[in-house]
Amino acid sequence: MFYKKLMIVLLIFSLLFVSCVPQKKMQKGDAQTVLEDILVQFGLENGALYSEKNDAQYRLTDALLARMFNHTGDLADFAYVDSAAVWFSRRFNEKEIVVLRLCDLSHQRELLRLLTERAQKKENAVAFANGIYVYLICTDKNEEIMRYLQ
């Protein structure tokens, strides 16, 4: 009887300990900040960074998004994007990274579908979501970048 109580107490303490250990935090910041962090961490140089922020290297415009995602009309799906950033390699290849930060999770599926459709048109690309962030990664370091972001 004593051993059963001791085991139950140990189980409770172990559950409390595990739940109190800080969990890995999701990236914070807008899409440009997250993308800049990826570029630095993985040494991705010689590219062009597009964002809607004023201090962006290049402005990410609706016209560029329309060309990227083959939209002929409005960009209604992007109404739920809080911030967006895109990096294109300047080495005449298909390498690119797209980071979208959503206002909330309610439209994650639609935006992930758009990025997946673009990824399927490329040779080595993957699209995935992690919380309010949706990504398209097309580099020679896809797996490492995905692990870093999750």
Side-chain angles (χ1 to χ4, degrees):
M1 184 72 157
F2 172 74
Y3 291 109
K4 284 184 181 179
K5 288 181 182 179
L6 180 64
M7 289 301 288
I8 290 173
V9 169
L10 288 174
L11 262 168
I12 290 172
F13 279 122
S14 64
L15 286 173
L16 286 173
F17 178 76
V18 170
S19 65
C20 293
V21 172
Q23 301 298 315
K24 182 179 176 184
K25 292 182 180 178
M26 182 173 46
Q27 310 85 334
K28 299 217 184 229
D30 58 31
Q32 180 177 327
T33 303
V34 173
L35 183 52
E36 287 171 340
D37 184 43
I38 294 168
L39 297 176
V40 169
Q41 289 292 325
F42 294 92
L44 297 171
E45 301 169 350
N46 210 6
L49 176 63
Y50 291 80
S51 173
E52 79 282 348
K53 287 180 66 175
N54 290 333
D55 65 341
Q57 188 178 16
Y58 299 99
R59 288 292 282 172
L60 182 61
T61 63
D62 287 348
L64 178 59
L65 288 172
R67 281 193 307 253
M68 287 176 65
F69 296 100
N70 296 325
H71 279 272
T72 54
D74 67 284
L75 296 167
D77 293 327
F78 285 89
Y80 306 102
V81 173
D82 181 47
S83 65
V86 179
W87 173 82
F88 296 106
S89 174
R90 289 186 177 156
R91 295 188 183 231
F92 302 106
N93 58 33
E94 288 193 321
K95 293 181 181 176
E96 79 178 62
I97 300 174
V98 178
V99 178
L100 305 177
R101 185 178 78 179
L102 309 180
C103 299
D104 57 46
L105 294 174
S106 62
H107 291 83
Q108 180 192 64
R109 182 177 295 147
E110 292 89 351
L111 288 151
L112 182 58
R113 180 187 50 77
L114 279 176
L115 294 186
T116 301
E117 287 174 6
R118 181 161 176 86
Q120 290 171 347
K121 296 175 184 175
K122 297 183 167 287
E123 190 172 316
N124 181 33
V126 62
F128 68 99
N130 185 4
I132 60 170
Y133 295 92
V134 183
Y135 305 95
L136 180 143
I137 310 291
C138 183
T139 70
D140 55 352
K141 301 177 181 183
N142 290 357
E143 295 298 320
E144 294 93 345
I145 294 172
M146 286 176 57
R147 279 194 302 272
Y148 178 73
L149 294 170
Q150 294 178 345

